[in-house]
Each structure stands twice: as C-alpha cells, then as structure tokens.
Amino acid sequence: MLSYQALEGWVKEMAELCQPEEIYWCDGTEEENIKLIKKLVDLGKALELNPTKRPGSYAFFSDPSDVARVENRTFIASDLEEDAGPTNNWAEPKALKETMKKLYFGSMKGRTMYVIPFMMGPFGSPLSKIGIQLTDSEYVVINMRIMTRMGRDVLKALETQNQFVPCLHSIGYPLEKDQMDLLWPSAPIDHKYISHFPKEKLIWSYGSGYGGNALLGKKCLALRIASVIAKEEGWMAEHMLILKLTNPEGISKYVLAAFPSACGKTNLAMMVPTLPGWKVETIGDDIAWIWMKDDGRLYAINPESGFFGVAKGTSYQSNPNAMMSIRKDTIFTNVAITDDGDVWWEGIDGPMPQHLMDWKREDWSPTKGTPAAHPNCRFTVSAKQCPVLAEEWENPEGVLISAILVGGRRPSTIPLVHEALSWSHGVFMGSMMGSEVTAAAISDQIGQVRRDPFAMLPFIGYHVGDYLRHWLDMGKKSNDALLPKIFYVNWFRKDEHGDFLWPGFGHNSRVLKWIFERCEGTVSADATPIGYLPKEESIDVRGLPMKADALAQLLTVDTTGWLNEIESIKVYYQSIGDKLPERLKQELEKQEQRLMFEKEKEERNL
Ligand code: GTP
Ligand code: SPV
Ligand code: MN
C-alpha cells in the first residue's frame, strides 16, 4: 500500500514508464461518464442499444482471445515460492517486475492514462479499502464506475484514511503515430500478466481488458490482495454472495454462499422464492468481507457497488430481478444483438431470433451452429438498479451472518443439502468442495470437476494450507453456538439421462427455508456419516416439477460414492502438502470411519 502523500509521485512514475499521451484524473461524475461513452461510440468500440428498448445501455465485443479471466497468466509474487503455495502461479517479485516493466515501457503511447480513485466497501466502514487504478482503457473506467464507488469523494476519504492499494493496468496495445486502433485492443496471451505483490499490496495487470483481469477492484484487490490483508488483520475476504432471507413471520437472517464462478451466486442472491410468504433480498452477489465483532459473531459487507453478472441463461424465468436490473443503464459484453438493436443470449426469454449479430459481430442465424453470445457474456449494472436490493446493503457495520453455504456443480454424490456437524467439519466441507469448471476462465478443462476450496481456488493470494488454517483460527476465536452454521448445497445433481434432478433457481428457496429453520432450531434432521440431512418431509416440494423419487435420490447418502470421494480428497490433501492443517486430516479420517461403519451396516442388511 502507499500513503496519500505518495500518490502523485507514483502516478508520475508510472506515467513515465507507460508514456501516455495525457493523464486524466477521473471525478466519477455523470458528465465524465457521458463523455467517455461518446468517445467509445465514436470510435466504434461501443454500440449504443436501441434507446426505446434498453435506454442508456451499450454493448461491447471483446477480441475472441480476451473473453474471460486467465488463471494460467495470474501470478502471486511473494518473496518465497512457499508462500504462494501449490495452487498459485508463483513468480519472483523482482524478476516479474523487470519482465513487466519491459512490457509497460511505452505501452500507453497514443492513449490517455486514466487515474481512477475507488473505494471497496461502503464509505465509513471499518473494513473499506481504497484503491487507485491507472488504466488506458475507457471501457475499464466506465465499468469501474459501476462496480466500485469511484471518484472525487474517494480522494477526499484518502486524505484521512491515508492508505491505498496501487493498481496499474494497461491493455498492452500502444498506438504509434498514425497507427490504427483495434475495436478491442489487447496483448497476446503469453504477454498477459495479472500480477499480485502481496508484501507491497500492489497489483500490476497487463494485456487484457476483460472482467476480473482488468477491473482490478474486484478479484485482484477485493479477493487476492484483500485475502492477504485479511489473514494479517484477522478477518476474511471471500468469494461469496450475501443475501437477506425473511420468513412469513417477518424474521430476517443473513446468509453467505460460496459457489465457484458461474455456479449460481447472482441467481441465489436475487432469487424470487417460489414458497409463499418467503422473501430474498440482495446485499451482494460475488464478494463478502467478513469480520468478527466483540460478541464473537461474524458480520459481512459487500465491497462492490454493482454486479458483473453472467448474462447467458438469465431470463425472466430464471432470474427476473436480474432482468429488471438490466432494463436500462447497463453495459453488456459479448452478448448477441437483435435486428432491432436489443441484446440476446442463449437462455433469454422469447422465441429464437432468426437473425442476429453474434458476439464476434458477424451475421448469425440458427443454422450457423455456434453460440450467438459467448458463454461468459456479462452485464455490468449498478446494485441500485436491483429491485430487491436490501435497504441495509450499504450498512458500514455489516450484517450479522447466520449461515454459510458452500457448493458447486456436482453431477453426482453430493446431496441437495447437508449441514456440517461443527465449524471445523464445515471448514472440511469448504476445503474439499469440487465443481465442474465453467467458462468464467479460459481453460481446456471446462466441464471437469476440480477442487475449489470455498470457491477461492483462483483467488487466494497466499498458500491454500494457510488459508484453510485461517478459517479454523477464525472459529477458534469464538464458539460454535455463536458462529454461523455451515451447509453444503448442490443444485446441480443429474439423473442417468444427464438432466438436472433439482429444478433450482426460485425453488432453491425450499432449501433456504430448511436452512433458516435449522438456524432457528425449529426443524430436526437426520444425523448421517457426512453431516445432518433434512428428512424428506422437511423439504416442501409441493407443486414442484419433479419426478416422484427425485427428492429421495437428492437426499440419500451415497456411501460408495462418498468413499470414492474420500480417496480423491486424500490425493488432493496430499497435493496441499505440509501446511494442510492437522485438524482437517482428522475431519477427513473421522468422516471416512463413519462412512465405513455405514457401509458395513448396509452390507450386513443386504
Ligand atoms: P460469477 O459471476 O462468475 O462468480 O458467477 P455466479 O456464481 O454469480 O453464477 P450465476 O448466478 O451468474 O449463474 C451462472 C449460471 O448458472 C447461469 O447460467 C445460471 O442460469 C446457472 N444457474 C444458477 N442457479 C442455478 C440453479 O439453481 N440451477 C441450475 N441448474 N442452474 C443454475
Ligand atoms: C468470476 O469469474 O468469478 C467473476 C467474473 O465474477 S470476473 O470478474 O471476470 O472474475
Ligand atoms: Mn465471481
């Protein structure tokens, strides 16, 4: 981090390195935003959508090579390789800086360097952090204005807060004299670097203009760097939504959920319950900063101020509140465009259009055989446009957390919901979470199950073993009666035909209800080898479009499947090495013993 006094010197030094044509300090005003958008439209980089259909909204189309986070080009440059751990790409900080400086040298030629002062977290929160991002991308500026609290007020706050995380970003496409610009300039993949210097609390990003690679407040600051600060200071930075759940009697509880990228956080955070009388309101859809107060309980804030949500699959059917949020003043990236100038993607409502412009700006018709929108197409929209935003979403004191959900895409083995036996058993659950890889990062493993502890695999800024220990340590500062209960959910179980067993979306409220009642202590559960499971009659499935035995299938413990799972967790735990907390090995062993005992019982009964 740097001090307020160091700000001007740092900006000057970075400008000398990157050599922009000019430097512009963003004030965050509407006029500034309009000017930037006009520039982008005039250059052909942004497409204004039909103002009668989608007022104040614009579409962008990225280079086909720059469509998602690049995990294999993301680096944690700690002094010791050991501190980055087995799940991160490590780079020696000095050498990495030398390499990147060569790339940054003159990289902003012919462009403007924008200075973006931004706040992560509500003004006045004890946890809020200031960042200053330097970027040569107007697209980044207008997105940061939605996703963070950006502008003049932040510089004012910096005078007293005095510390900021310096974030340098360049798309890596300098313009020499008379050189034509591209519509989405970026650097080739092996020149892309998303680098984090945990000791200095410094972020250097080069070569990509997309999402988490470029909007540095989000994954880089609010997760990777914040997770390091949180470990040092005794709090937690997590890849979690925050929702407010209210029962028909008007009692509210706040729930966190850690699901990997493109596994349902935005959807759950703003869902419309299909259970009469129940209400879900949104506090955050992607990131939670969590700390313990003197009462031994956990509280959370959402450090962001907007949603960078997956567009594909979003419809009035699946997520009406997201659809209402994006009716105006929204930025769309890599969606398809209808002939009347509106947006379209696979899974949106209505009949399939016969003609579109696809995300590559090419003519598209259903016979083309390729998706019209990119699977990682996104919308950027202010949280304030969400019709179910909870009134306390900006409470600087945070909200009191009653339950933490973990989960991912698991076609088999993992039941619809099960509850941890204790905090440390819950940490075990989070540690071994697995999920099918999605299109949110560029990968050749899409669809394969990988372990993704607490959905933080690509976002932990240090050693995964130390991260898991930190979870256990947080628990030790309090006791299980005061801590949130931990639940493992799986909306993605499939039947033998590959169809989802559980209808999901608004129907997930039926599981939230059980979780709520567990927190209240008003519903019983079955103790099983893997944790507490709902009795079948405790999940209200009235009116659900489900096969007769589906619920039973969703709520059984597949002993054989779980024993295989245990073997696979052992291999994965080995890969973590010496830093894996002993306590988690014990939880694994105990779970294995309970399962073997169960297996014997089953065999005896055969
Ligand atoms: P990131 O923004 O990448 O962190 O993703 P996210 O976790 O917010 O995921 P999101 O809510 O955007 O959902 C991603 C995809 O999962 C979308 O295509 C959804 O339609 C789908 N999805 C969400 N919830 C459910 C569910 O309950 N069941 C099923 N089958 N699909 C779901
Ligand atoms: C994710 O991948 O988890 C996202 C999108 O939320 S991005 O901002 O690109 O990281
Ligand atoms: Mn995310």
Side-chain angles (χ1 to χ4, degrees):
M1 284 205 257
L2 292 177
S3 69
Y4 178 56
Q5 286 73 26
L7 173 59
E8 285 203 24
W10 173 69
V11 174
K12 194 160 159 262
E13 194 191 328
M14 293 304 110
E16 276 163 12
L17 177 64
C18 302
Q19 302 170 21
E21 204 168 274
E22 58 172 328
I23 302 175
Y24 175 85
W25 290 68
C26 298
D27 60 19
T29 57
E30 183 60 38
E31 300 80 74
E32 175 181 277
N33 192 48
I34 290 170
K35 239 190 272 169
L36 288 171
I37 290 174
K38 183 168 183 319
K39 179 172 175 180
L40 287 161
V41 172
D42 290 347
L43 289 169
K45 295 185 179 191
L47 176 72
E48 184 179 3
L49 296 172
N50 183 340
T52 58
K53 302 216 153 229
R54 202 72 60 176
S57 302
Y58 298 85
F60 290 81
F61 309 92
S62 80
D63 188 89
S65 66
D66 198 27
V67 292
R69 285 184 294 100
V70 281
E71 293 179 5
N72 63 347
R73 302 300 304 164
T74 299
F75 298 90
I76 301 296
S78 44
D79 285 349
L80 301 176
E81 180 164 10
E82 159 93 344
D83 292 337
T87 56
N88 283 310
N89 299 309
W90 176 77
E92 198 282 317
K94 246 179 143 167
L96 180 60
K97 277 194 182 171
E98 282 316 307
T99 307
M100 289 190 73
K101 269 187 189 163
K102 287 195 193 107
L103 292 168
Y104 279 128
F105 185 72
S107 73
M108 295 189 186
K109 270 189 192 163
R111 300 191 188 276
T112 302
M113 175 194 265
Y114 297 91
V115 184
I116 309 173
F118 64 95
M119 173 81 80
M120 300 310 291
F123 283 94
S125 172
L127 237 51
S128 291
K129 295 274 178 288
I130 292 172
I132 310 275
Q133 176 164 351
L134 308 179
T135 183
D136 51 3
S137 160
E138 289 83 12
Y139 169 84
V140 166
V141 180
I142 63 171
N143 275 273
M144 284 291 283
R145 182 166 179 270
I146 296 173
M147 295 306 295
T148 73
R149 295 156 178 91
M150 184 256 258
R152 229 177 253 139
D153 296 349
V154 179
L155 284 182
K156 190 106 209 85
L158 182 58
E159 284 178 33
T160 43
Q161 207 159 314
N162 199 28
Q163 283 203 309
F164 70 93
V165 176
C167 308
L168 174 60
H169 173 249
S170 173
I171 50 176
Y173 197 89
L175 291 175
E176 301 299 337
K177 206 171 164 317
D178 299 327
Q179 185 181 343
M180 273 265 290
D181 200 0
L182 299 178
L183 292 180
W184 184 284
S186 58
I189 182 77
D190 55 340
H191 283 187
K192 287 182 169 62
Y193 285 87
I194 319 299
S195 303
H196 308 75
F197 300 87
K199 192 160 83 184
E200 288 174 80
K201 320 287 187 280
L202 168 70
I203 298 161
W204 278 11
S205 167
Y206 184 88
S208 168
Y210 204 86
N213 299 332
L215 313 177
L216 302 187
K218 197 174 177 58
K219 297 302 167 40
C220 298
L221 195 162
L223 288 178
R224 297 195 192 94
I225 292 296
S227 68
V228 174
I229 301 174
K231 168 92 177 2
E232 290 167 0
E233 296 180 354
W235 51 278
M236 303 161 100
E238 298 295 337
H239 191 201
M240 292 177 173
L241 68 90
I242 313 173
L243 67 80
K244 176 182 182 182
L245 177 62
T246 305
N247 76 356
E249 285 71 51
I251 302 168
S252 299
K253 293 191 189 298
Y254 299 92
V255 176
L256 299 172
F259 306 154
S261 303
C263 290
K265 290 183 299 300
T266 303
N267 277 269
L268 193 70
M270 49 183 82
M271 69 126 87
V272 179
T274 53
L275 277 183
W278 288 78
K279 192 158 89 179
V280 166
E281 290 163 278
T282 315
I283 309 256
D285 83 325
D286 200 50
I287 300 178
W289 285 356
I290 310 155
W291 73 106
M292 194 177 282
K293 290 195 192 171
D294 293 341
D295 60 3
R297 295 180 184 273
L298 293 183
Y299 293 78
I301 57 166
N302 168 15
E304 302 190 277
S305 62
F307 310 127
F308 183 62
V310 179
K312 185 190 163 189
T314 307
S315 67
Y316 278 96
Q317 189 67 30
S318 64
N319 191 349
N321 286 319
M323 291 304 287
M324 283 190 269
S325 306
I326 61 177
R327 278 204 295 213
K328 59 170 184 137
D329 298 334
T330 302
I331 299 169
F332 295 91
T333 310
N334 287 347
V335 300
I337 305 296
T338 61
D339 289 348
D340 58 0
D342 201 0
V343 292
W344 192 87
W345 46 77
E346 281 73 15
I348 201 172
D349 314 83
M352 167 96 70
Q354 290 309 297
H355 181 261
L356 293 164
M357 180 176 84
D358 69 11
W359 70 277
K360 292 183 171 172
R361 298 189 194 232
E362 290 167 4
D363 270 330
W364 185 93
S365 66
T367 54
K368 193 170 179 192
T370 51
H374 188 277
N376 191 40
C377 58
R378 299 253 169 186
F379 55 78
T380 320
V381 71
S382 168
K384 292 193 180 122
Q385 288 184 206
C386 176
V388 292
L389 191 65
E391 59 177 4
E392 61 274 52
W393 82 284
E394 289 195 286
N395 181 353
E397 289 301 312
V399 294
L400 168 64
I401 303 303
S402 298
I404 299 177
L405 279 48
V406 302
R409 292 174 181 265
R410 288 297 301 267
S412 65
T413 316
I414 313 291
L416 179 64
V417 57
H418 66 293
E419 180 191 329
L421 302 167
S422 63
W423 178 265
S424 57
H425 183 236
V427 177
F428 163 73
M429 282 178 173
S431 79
M432 53 65 82
M433 243 174 78
S435 192
E436 292 173 330
V437 175
T438 66
I442 294 173
S443 170
D444 50 18
Q445 296 176 351
I446 292 176
Q448 291 174 33
V449 173
R450 70 168 181 186
R451 301 281 164 200
D452 189 348
F454 288 101
M456 282 287 280
L457 181 71
F459 308 122
I460 305 169
Y462 56 100
H463 195 296
V464 59
D466 290 330
Y467 167 80
L468 294 170
R469 182 176 308 279
H470 183 50
W471 264 89
L472 293 168
D473 288 345
M474 287 298 291
K476 283 189 200 143
K477 291 200 281 191
S478 183
N479 64 65
D480 279 21
L482 296 172
L483 291 165
K485 287 183 184 298
I486 300 178
F487 300 83
Y488 193 150
V489 299
N490 181 18
W491 317 140
F492 299 96
R493 270 291 278 275
K494 289 185 177 164
D495 64 14
E496 59 282 10
H497 311 295
D499 296 324
F500 289 117
L501 274 169
W502 176 249
F505 302 101
H507 295 305
N508 294 332
S509 57
R510 296 161 196 262
V511 175
L512 290 182
K513 171 176 181 277
W514 184 76
I515 289 169
F516 185 103
E517 289 167 352
R518 288 297 291 167
C519 294
E520 290 266 279
T522 54
V523 68
S524 65
D526 290 332
T528 80
I530 60 168
Y532 299 113
L533 257 78
K535 295 179 184 303
E536 247 186 86
E537 62 270 22
S538 304
I539 303 284
D540 185 344
V541 288
R542 274 173 298 176
L544 273 193
M546 265 171 80
K547 286 194 212 122
D549 63 339
L551 187 65
Q553 214 176 320
L554 283 161
L555 295 180
T556 22
V557 180
D558 168 7
T559 315
T560 310
W562 267 100
L563 280 166
N564 291 335
E565 184 78 16
I566 297 280
E567 290 311 308
S568 146
I569 300 168
K570 281 184 195 167
V571 174
Y572 153 70
Y573 268 10
Q574 284 238 310
S575 74
I576 296 181
D578 293 345
K579 288 199 173 195
L580 179 78
E582 201 53 41
R583 185 66 202 244
L584 293 180
K585 275 190 236 167
Q586 290 163 5
E587 291 291 348
L588 174 65
E589 279 163 25
K590 283 193 282 183
Q591 185 135 326
E592 181 178 28
Q593 280 160 14
R594 291 190 301 261
L595 284 160
M596 300 221 301
F597 186 69
E598 185 71 21
K599 179 97 186 150
E600 277 170 35
K601 245 181 20 190
E602 282 173 13
E603 280 166 4
R604 248 182 284 130
N605 291 343
L606 276 179

